[in-house]
Amino acid sequence: MSHIDEGSLHAYLDGAATERERQEIAAHVAGCVECRKRLDRAASLSSRAAELLAELEPRSAQPPSWREIEERASARGGGAARRRLVRPSIAWAASIALAFGVGWLSSSYWAQLPAGPDALSPNNESRITGQDANEAQLQVRTSSEEDAVRTSAARPATEPEPPAVAASRGGATEGAPPPAAAPLEVSVPRRERAGELDDARAEPIVLPALAEQAATDRVAAAPAKARADEPALEREAALEKREQPAVRPEQVRIPIAEMLAQYEEPRDGAEEGAGTKFFAVQPEDAAVWLGSQLRTLPELHLKRVELGPGSAIPGGRAGLPAVKLIYADAAGSEIVLIQQLLGSAAPDEAPELSAATSAANSYRWTDGRYLLILQGSISADSLRALADRVR
Amino acid sequence: MDLSQIYREHYRSLVRFLYRRIGDQARAEDLAQEAFVRAIEHQPARPRAWLFTVAANLARDEGRRASVRRRHLTLLKAEAEARPPEPGPEVALERRETVLRVQAALSRLAERDREALLLWEEGFNYDEIAEVLGLSRGSIGTTLGRARTRLAAAYEELEHKGSGEDVAY
């Protein structure tokens, strides 16, 4: 006599057997001691598995409203719908038009270059010198011109031209100085770009309302009150020396001094303290704001990167941006690596390692140019070990 | 069926399924919301099964990043052993160890077995589990039986050893 197989026993217990199977199993078990034992064991295993899994109960958290989910889908779906509406024929036409545009711009560019020995006449000397000195910038500017053309074509006729684009175009075509103010600004990708990503793990870029306003206004020059902040000026000077990335039409440019000044001013009703002023950014943008390559914990899983004011971190320097790298350990606990580039103004002090006890342990140390803080709900020893792994 | 109603009724279930699958609540919530966003875009005919299928796929992608976390867990283990028990929170510490042990035991299961078990615990019947996992209905009982047996055995073994181990989702 054959016994009941394991799968059928579990299906019987789970109520998934058909009526006929159920009757057959019941009849068999009634007369088979071995299968009865196996059935008891299967029932025990079933309840034990449920009991164990019940230990893995997530904390109760308020889910976002359905409207928020719909808005996210709408933001992404709108882009997808637009992409679907672009027919191949239109795409081809756009490509050809773009090719002509690039050709025309290239010819304009080459027409401005000196053509042979005549170009070395005294009248042209200053212009040639400027071109030699800014050769790389000219190449970038040509790319910016193409972007500006595309931006203008896509923009409604009534919409004013952004000052940054106008400055870029003027500098390239009318011999005006290169966009000297540009190094004072940092490009921050617009939030809509993140919404187009299919990757579910891509953290959206969340700019605070003040930053959005600054982006909308597109203020080319920082206000004088922000420039009075000495550390901010030093940061601007440092950024001036950096290679200026080409500006894409999807980007907005936000004066760094104004941004920082706004960060340092507490908003009405906003709670003071760490975390209240930080917002998520892409790592590459955080590095630009920090003014240096990010210090990281390469062995941990990076959840997100946040940017905020130095005044919001313990011992941080006001007027300089600080960056938080939020990692997750296997248990889901967060480990936060905060960093601030103090630059040449940093006190020349020996590396310092100190522990603070609060809800989460925290290590803070400096190495002359960097302020680094490691926070997490793990022991001081683990934090110390992690601190050694910061690269 | 109205997706907003599905959201109200099954969001927490989806988060729990993902949390048990990947062990990170914040990520579980992110992925659950992502699944619903995609459901709005695709308007599936059978949204509940569709959502859990998408969630399972997202969890598998998430699992590919688990090796990084696994390396870190070695450090956490050392930390857990070195951490002096504070007065009072023995219960919390014991519970945390239990959670880690269950996660480790769950990670020892084959992917299909694990997902079948988690779907069953979320109230899926055999037909629905078969649909989500692309298995025949007749194999679900065997799959669940194997999953339950291995989960219980793995947990007992880890409990006997007295510690958790690296979680490999």
Side-chain angles (χ1 to χ4, degrees), chain A residues 10 14 16 45 53 55-57 59 61 63-64 66 72 76 198 200-201 299-300 329 379 382, chain B residues 7 11-12 16 20 25 27 33-34 38 41 65 68 72 79 95 120-121 126 137 145 148-149:
Chain A
H10 280 271
D14 291 338
L45 283 172
L53 289 178
E55 296 286 348
L56 302 182
E57 188 67 25
R59 297 182 302 276
W66 177 246
R72 281 173 56 181
R76 188 186 306 176
D198 289 328
R201 284 156 297 283
E299 296 178 350
L300 296 191
D329 64 24
S379 71
S382 286
Chain B
Y7 181 71
Y11 174 77
R12 292 186 189 284
R16 183 168 52 232
R20 289 171 172 174
Q25 173 151 0
R27 289 299 299 148
Q33 290 162 25
E34 171 65 19
R38 294 188 185 185
E41 294 172 343
R65 296 191 165 99
V68 175
H72 175 52
E79 172 267 322
R95 165 150 172 71
W120 170 259
E121 292 299 326
Y126 276 34
R137 186 190 186 282
R148 288 161 174 161
T149 303

Side-chain angles (χ1 to χ4, degrees), chain B residues 14 20 29 73 79 94 96 99 102 117 126 136 150 153:
Chain B
L14 195 61
R20 289 171 172 174
E29 290 174 3
L73 197 63
E79 172 267 322
E94 185 179 344
R96 180 176 171 81
V99 167
V102 175
L117 186 57
Y126 276 34
S136 69
R150 290 183 177 173

Side-chain angles (χ1 to χ4, degrees), chain A residues 130-152:
Chain A
Q131 285 172 340
D132 289 342
N134 298 301
E135 184 177 357
Q137 292 187 12
L138 277 171
Q139 292 172 356
V140 171
R141 202 180 306 146
T142 304
S143 173
S144 299
E145 282 181 355
E146 297 163 13
D147 290 342
V149 169
R150 284 198 293 272
T151 306
S152 301

Side-chain angles (χ1 to χ4, degrees), chain A residues 349-390:
Chain A
E349 58 186 31
E352 173 191 346
L353 193 62
S354 61
T357 303
S358 59
N361 280 329
S362 174
Y363 267 104
R364 175 180 178 275
W365 73 102
T366 60
D367 63 0
R369 295 185 70 234
Y370 275 92
L371 167 65
L372 291 151
I373 302 171
L374 198 55
Q375 296 175 336
S377 299
I378 58 177
S379 71
D381 287 340
S382 286
L383 275 183
R384 184 194 301 272
L386 279 176
D388 290 339
R389 301 183 182 200
V390 172

